[in-house]
Amino acid sequence: MGGAPLLRLARVTKAYGDVVAVRDLSLDIPANEFFALLGPSGCGKTTLMRLIAGFETPDDGRIYLDGQDITDLPPHLRSINMMFQSYALFPHMSVAQNIAFGLKQEGRPRQEIASRVEDMLRLVQMVGLGERRPDQLSGGQRQRVALARALIKRPKLLLLDEPLAALDRKLRHDTQFELMQAQRETGTSFVVVTHDQDEAMVMAHRMAVMRAGAIDQIGAPREVYEEPATRHVAGFVGETNFFEGRVIQYMPGGVAIETSKGLKLEAFCQQHPAIGAKVTISIRPENLRLSAPGVFSSNGSAGEILDQVFREGLSSFRVKLDTGDLVHVRKSVSEGGAQHARGERVFVSFAPEHARALLT
Ligand code: ATP
């Protein structure tokens, strides 16, 4: 992507009294991107959205949209819209009137409004339902009306705060794909705040994982999953197993560590920790090998299968290692995932290139 990004945050800080909600944060979002902001409660996601929308002013730093400094522009003068968690539909207005609201306020001609409302109804698959009132709609339909209302003014950027939080699990799943389609068809960049890492992994082109007002890592979901930059990211995005220890040796492309329980493990490492430095190895459940005792004898530990859960074609095992560590191992049935019994002795190990040694 060449040229200026659609949205640029340059070293933005926002504090409420002693609490620094967003700290010296820089971020570029290009046009036509589905971007997800992820992180634990209180990490600053909502504050960041409110700064972008213009409901808050930064204490420091600047915000640019399409190259224009919008830091001091009020919300209604920014080509940015925000869809709130509650949807905030007007209960006394029809679906069509709700969707038309923004254009009416701008004083657009009736015919143009009618035709753009029709376009929006088509976009959110609500053709024929324009005359209903919000209380005559399902939760999923209300969500679609809110989306149509937020998009009708063709903002360059749409901010969505937990857009699927009010929906049940099955509906959330289907609605994810509808949101992705709406983003593709309009070309508007979406910035979605979510607690739900699965949701971000499915929908986003890129995602940012935040912690304490700052971004720990930005990248494509798969890259963040496979190459977590910090322990926080590894633990927040997807399930993982951690082994803490100290570096005892450098290996080609990685390090060897010794845990406090005397386990010696090797893992890939992108940083350069000193000998003796504390590091954490992160290894995803699907990257752990389960084998009969005696097949492998290094980079792992013997242990015993504690229990097994079968779900969606995958077997998840909890294994108690002889060191006392508890690990999760996940195998598909085709990998022989169903073949281990409770109480069975196994050797749990991994290839160093499948694990990441992280310094922070
Ligand atoms: P959640 O996922 O729970 O919504 P969040 O990541 O959106 O959390 P923010 O709402 O941005 O987090 O809050 C970041 C920090 O700033 C928190 O410590 C919060 O208590 C604080 N904070 C947010 N708004 C205010 C405010 N108006 N006054 C004082 N402190 C605030």
Side-chain angles (χ1 to χ4, degrees):
M1 207 13 267
L6 177 68
L7 179 75
R8 166 161 288 176
L9 275 77
R11 309 201 61 176
V12 169
T13 294
K14 176 73 189 175
Y16 301 102
D18 291 343
V19 180
V20 184
V22 171
R23 185 188 301 272
D24 196 19
L25 187 145
S26 296
L27 170 66
D28 280 359
I29 294 178
N32 209 352
E33 181 165 76
F34 202 127
F35 188 86
L37 268 178
L38 201 62
S41 185
C43 71
K45 304 181 295 292
T46 307
T47 305
L48 191 57
M49 296 283 257
R50 292 176 59 80
L51 286 162
I52 298 170
F55 300 124
E56 301 282 0
T57 314
D59 301 327
D60 212 347
R62 310 301 296 174
I63 302 175
Y64 303 87
L65 186 69
D66 244 354
Q68 184 199 357
D69 188 337
I70 59 164
T71 318
D72 302 314
L73 274 189
H76 67 279
L77 295 181
R78 302 180 180 201
S79 183
I80 296 176
N81 213 334
M82 185 151 175
M83 189 178 118
F84 294 96
Q85 231 180 81
S86 61
Y87 307 149
L89 299 178
F90 301 116
H92 57 287
M93 287 187 192
S94 69
V95 165
Q97 286 167 336
N98 263 286
I99 297 174
F101 184 76
L103 293 185
K104 261 209 166 133
Q105 274 197 321
E106 280 185 350
R108 297 277 175 169
R110 279 176 71 123
Q111 263 196 332
E112 183 194 334
I113 294 179
S115 119
R116 282 171 67 174
V117 167
E118 263 322 293
D119 287 347
M120 284 297 127
L121 286 171
R122 213 168 306 132
L123 178 76
V124 300
Q125 296 158 47
M126 297 264 304
V127 173
L129 298 178
E131 295 315 309
R132 292 226 189 141
R133 279 198 324 273
D135 64 0
Q136 297 169 315
L137 300 175
S138 69
Q141 288 169 332
R142 278 199 284 275
Q143 194 269 353
R144 290 191 238 161
V145 177
L147 182 64
R149 192 179 58 175
L151 284 171
I152 198 164
K153 283 172 73 176
R154 299 176 184 151
K156 290 178 179 159
L157 187 71
L158 180 63
L159 307 171
L160 303 102
D161 185 8
E162 298 274 359
L164 308 178
L167 309 179
D168 66 41
R169 191 165 171 267
K170 168 83 174 72
L171 198 53
R172 285 176 80 120
H173 186 262
D174 298 341
T175 309
Q176 287 173 359
F177 292 96
E178 287 168 16
L179 276 183
M180 290 160 70
Q181 190 178 346
Q183 190 281 319
R184 265 198 313 271
E185 286 184 20
T186 57
T188 299
S189 286
F190 281 19
V191 178
V192 173
V193 156
T194 177
H195 276 100
D196 184 336
Q197 47 103 7
D198 283 335
E199 205 166 281
M201 297 283 290
V202 169
M203 295 194 293
H205 299 135
R206 286 190 312 150
M207 61 197 228
V209 183
M210 288 185 70
R211 174 175 50 160
I215 292 175
D216 254 22
Q217 190 172 6
I218 283 191
R222 183 166 178 176
E223 179 188 323
V224 173
Y225 182 82
E226 289 180 352
E227 304 288 343
T230 65
R231 181 188 165 124
H232 168 70
V233 172
F236 199 79
V237 176
E239 206 190 326
T240 199
N241 296 288
F242 287 131
F243 291 97
E244 289 171 13
R246 289 186 185 276
V247 175
I248 51 168
Q249 199 181 340
Y250 297 120
M251 312 299 295
V255 292
I257 73 161
E258 184 168 347
T259 72
S260 60
K261 315 266 176 52
L263 206 54
K264 292 192 178 68
L265 300 170
E266 290 173 31
F268 180 82
C269 188
Q270 280 182 315
Q271 296 142 312
H272 300 284
I275 297 290
K278 259 191 181 170
V279 297
T280 302
I281 288 180
S282 165
I283 171 92
R284 301 289 183 190
E286 65 273 23
N287 287 331
L288 280 174
R289 281 186 302 236
L290 273 185
S291 50
V295 179
F296 290 99
S297 58
S298 65
N299 226 36
S301 163
E304 183 182 310
I305 304 267
L306 273 190
D307 45 36
Q308 174 182 2
V309 176
F310 181 75
R311 190 158 41 114
E312 294 173 356
L314 296 172
S315 285
S316 295
F317 300 93
R318 282 196 314 153
V319 183
K320 183 151 193 210
L321 303 182
D322 292 351
T323 53
D325 296 302
L326 201 63
V327 293
H328 286 245
V329 184
R330 196 160 47 229
K331 292 288 151 210
S332 69
V333 173
S334 57
E335 288 174 301
Q339 291 170 10
H340 297 282
R342 209 169 153 241
E344 190 182 322
R345 295 284 301 165
V346 288
F347 192 81
V348 179
S349 59
F350 57 89
E353 64 271 23
H354 287 156
R356 295 290 172 270
L358 303 166
L359 265 170
T360 49

